[in-house]
């Protein structure tokens, strides 16, 4: 039940790249009309007067989440008052969803399962573990007879690490995975990920931490909070092209389906990472469209409106042109002329056209970098 003048208050932080410091705001959200208001805490003044903002929803508002308001990325660091804490203080948790080398070719399907289970993917990166990183990760398994096999397997190819968020995430993700041994999973939890994607006790498709403490520790390995790099990404930087799943498509839960379509078409995704792009970086990235494409400003705004997923795509043999598979940049035209293409299937309009792909073959490497 929400009263007329219901409002929720949060303390939000924004990193100001020009001044190299964090700025604090009080953020007010009015669910009745979906409007937001922001106060600059230090200077005691209104930063944003109450404005309707369609793309922010009540379920996005909880401590620890990152939200985007008018292409400014804010971290919600605390509840602004007792009322908000009482009403919205939830059981949301973060956990690590680690896709192992054997299941990386099925990454699109697995992302889809994660999204359909009600999780939000807040970080994602395809990486290659060094032996030392694998040792750190499997520190509790040192005494096990299969320890060396474990290390060899986890370093045998790219993995995809994701930070996923949801109510009771740790327990819910473990349930979704099923028993550690895929053979046991097939009989005891036939609908689980390991039953459907795993092979045996070692090659069991994916991993999830056991507890809140181990989730925090393992996430720290893959996504260091110190701003350190973590394990290296899996990019090959050869014979590649760049594809970005745009924020609107990520928000609509289409990432898994788009990735799946790319893989089913015969392309290989050799690197993948989720980013929140700052406006200045996007302007630089889209430089070649400035003054050429009428929608340049809207394109920039869209790409920094929330998380996007960037991928390095390797051409199959015999080569197909990835840009052709993306289709014409206007989804309406794509639906008429090239109905099977990514933009025909997943795009909404010229700005929200699901994916960006490298236009000029010689820019592939540049964009991937």
């Amino acid at each position: 039940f929400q009263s007329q003048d219901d409002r929720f208050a949060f303390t939000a932080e924004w990193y100001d790249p020009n001044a190299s410091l964090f700025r604090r705001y009080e953020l007010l959200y009015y669910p009745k009309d979906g409007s937001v208001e922001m106060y600059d805490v230090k200077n005691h003044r209104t930063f944003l007067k109450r404005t309707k903002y369609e793309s922010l929803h009540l379920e996005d508002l909880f401590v620890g989440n990152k939200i985007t308001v008018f292409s400014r990325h804010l971290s919600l660091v605390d509840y602004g008052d007792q009322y908000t804490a009482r009403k919205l203080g939830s059981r949301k948790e973060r956990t690590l969803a680690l896709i192992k080398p054997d299941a990386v070719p099925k990454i699109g399907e697995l992302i889809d399962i994660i999204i359909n289970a009600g999780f939000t993917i807040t970080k994602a990166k395809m990486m290659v573990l060094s032996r030392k990183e694998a040792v750190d990760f499997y520190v509790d398994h040192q005494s096990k007879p299969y320890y060396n096999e474990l290390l060899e397997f986890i370093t045998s190819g790219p993995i995809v690490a994701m930070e996923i968020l949801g109510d009771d995430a740790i327990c819910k993700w473990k349930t979704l995975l099923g028993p550690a041994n895929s053979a046991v999973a097939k009989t005891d939890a036939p609908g689980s990920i390991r039953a459907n994607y795993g092979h045996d006790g070692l090659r069991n498709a994916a991993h999830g931490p056991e507890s809140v403490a181990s989730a925090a520790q393992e996430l720290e390995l893959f996504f260091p909070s110190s701003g350190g790099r973590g394990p290296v990404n899996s990019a090959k930087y050869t014979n590649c092209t760049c594809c970005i799943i745009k924020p609107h498509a990520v928000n609509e839960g289409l990432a898994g389906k788009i990735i799946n379509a790319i893989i089913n078409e015969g392309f290989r995704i050799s690197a993948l990472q989720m980013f929140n792009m700052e406006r200045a970086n996007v302007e630089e990235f889209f430089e070649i469209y400035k003054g050429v494409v009428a929608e340049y400003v809207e394109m920039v705004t869209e790409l920094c409106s929330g998380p996007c997923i960037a991928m390095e795509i390797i051409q199959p043999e015999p080569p197909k042109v990835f840009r052709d598979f993306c289709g014409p940049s206007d989804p309406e035209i794509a639906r008429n002329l090239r109905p099977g293409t990514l933009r025909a299937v997943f795009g909404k309009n010229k700005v929200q056209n699901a994916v960006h792909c490298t236009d000029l073959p010689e820019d592939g490497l540049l964009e991937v970098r």
Side-chain angles (χ1 to χ4, degrees):
F1 167 72
Q2 287 176 350
S3 64
Q4 274 312 106
D5 44 4
D6 218 3
R7 71 169 178 85
F8 297 111
F10 286 87
T11 303
E13 261 185 4
W14 173 65
Y15 181 71
D16 180 345
N18 298 326
S20 304
L21 52 84
F22 284 97
R23 300 196 183 277
R24 284 213 150 188
Y25 300 97
E26 184 183 22
L27 175 100
L28 302 176
Y29 179 76
Y30 299 87
K32 186 168 184 287
D33 62 354
S35 61
V36 271
E37 191 173 358
M38 285 169 68
Y39 290 94
D40 183 325
V41 175
K42 190 165 166 239
N43 301 315
H44 304 291
R45 60 168 186 220
T46 303
F47 176 74
L48 171 70
K49 50 181 208 291
R50 186 169 166 181
T51 315
K52 257 183 104 96
Y53 190 62
E54 297 287 331
S55 44
L56 191 60
H57 307 289
L58 196 52
E59 56 269 24
D60 302 327
L61 296 174
F62 52 88
V63 168
N65 200 22
K66 285 187 169 50
I67 58 170
T68 305
V69 177
F70 295 112
S71 67
R72 200 159 261 212
H73 304 306
L74 304 167
S75 300
L76 300 177
V77 292
D78 201 359
Y79 295 106
D81 55 29
Q82 280 300 302
Y83 174 75
T84 306
R86 208 170 54 242
K87 286 280 245 197
L88 301 184
S90 70
R91 317 227 354 235
K92 287 224 188 270
E93 294 174 335
R94 293 166 189 276
T95 190
L96 171 74
L98 187 72
I99 310 303
K100 298 185 179 179
D102 58 328
V104 166
K106 298 285 187 195
I107 184 66
E109 292 175 32
L110 290 165
I111 284 176
D112 221 23
I113 290 171
I114 289 169
I115 291 168
N116 290 336
F119 291 106
T120 304
I121 299 170
T122 42
K123 292 177 186 164
K125 185 177 170 184
M126 191 180 282
M127 31 181 109
V128 180
L129 291 187
S130 66
R131 192 168 168 96
K132 183 192 173 305
E133 287 159 346
V135 167
D136 289 344
F137 180 59
Y138 282 127
V139 69
D140 301 339
H141 292 276
Q142 269 165 338
S143 56
K144 305 267 171 63
Y146 52 81
Y147 176 65
N148 271 323
E149 270 183 282
L150 259 185
L151 296 184
E152 248 156 53
F153 170 57
I154 204 76
T155 53
S156 67
I159 57 171
V160 176
M162 288 177 277
E163 176 185 84
I164 62 173
L165 178 83
D167 296 320
D168 254 346
I170 292 159
C171 176
K172 208 167 121 185
W173 172 237
K174 287 297 286 180
T175 309
L176 199 58
L177 283 173
N181 189 324
S182 305
V184 177
K186 280 177 175 46
T187 46
D188 292 5
S192 68
I193 287 174
R194 285 170 175 156
N196 294 318
Y197 295 92
H199 299 92
D200 49 42
L202 182 69
R203 295 174 307 150
N204 62 359
H207 160 85
E210 296 292 336
S211 64
V212 174
S214 58
Q217 200 178 343
E218 291 178 16
L219 281 168
E220 193 58 42
L221 272 176
F222 294 100
F223 303 107
S225 56
S226 60
R229 299 226 66 90
V232 298
N233 72 53
S234 54
K236 298 264 185 272
Y237 300 124
T238 47
N239 182 22
C240 59
T241 188
C242 176
C243 175
I244 298 173
I245 302 177
K246 295 189 171 182
H248 78 92
V250 174
N251 275 336
E252 289 160 39
L254 298 174
K257 292 179 173 61
I258 291 173
I259 289 170
N260 211 17
I262 292 170
I263 293 170
N264 288 342
E265 191 63 19
F267 292 97
R268 191 165 131 238
I269 296 171
S270 45
L272 172 155
Q273 192 167 343
M274 183 178 261
F275 291 98
N276 281 298
M277 301 278 284
E278 292 296 339
R279 193 168 193 103
N281 298 6
V282 176
E283 282 173 356
E284 188 186 338
F285 185 74
F286 279 155
E287 185 84 63
I288 53 168
Y289 302 106
K290 196 176 182 172
V292 179
V293 178
E295 296 79 16
Y296 168 76
V297 174
E298 289 92 336
M299 280 167 63
V300 169
T301 301
E302 164 60 32
L303 198 53
C304 51
S305 69
C308 65
I309 295 175
M311 296 174 288
E312 177 186 70
I313 308 282
I314 305 268
Q315 306 284 9
E317 285 297 323
K320 293 178 184 170
V321 179
F322 184 72
R323 195 180 149 204
D324 290 348
F325 178 54
C326 291
S329 62
D330 184 339
E332 280 307 312
I333 295 172
R335 282 189 270 277
N336 287 316
L337 301 180
R338 311 275 305 289
T341 56
L342 289 178
R343 286 165 178 157
V345 179
F346 301 106
K348 284 164 47 170
N349 53 47
K350 278 182 86 165
V351 173
Q352 297 192 325
N353 60 358
V355 292
H356 161 83
C357 63
T358 309
D359 270 330
L360 304 167
E362 60 272 25
D363 287 347
L365 180 60
L366 187 74
E367 289 199 357
V368 166
R369 285 195 190 280

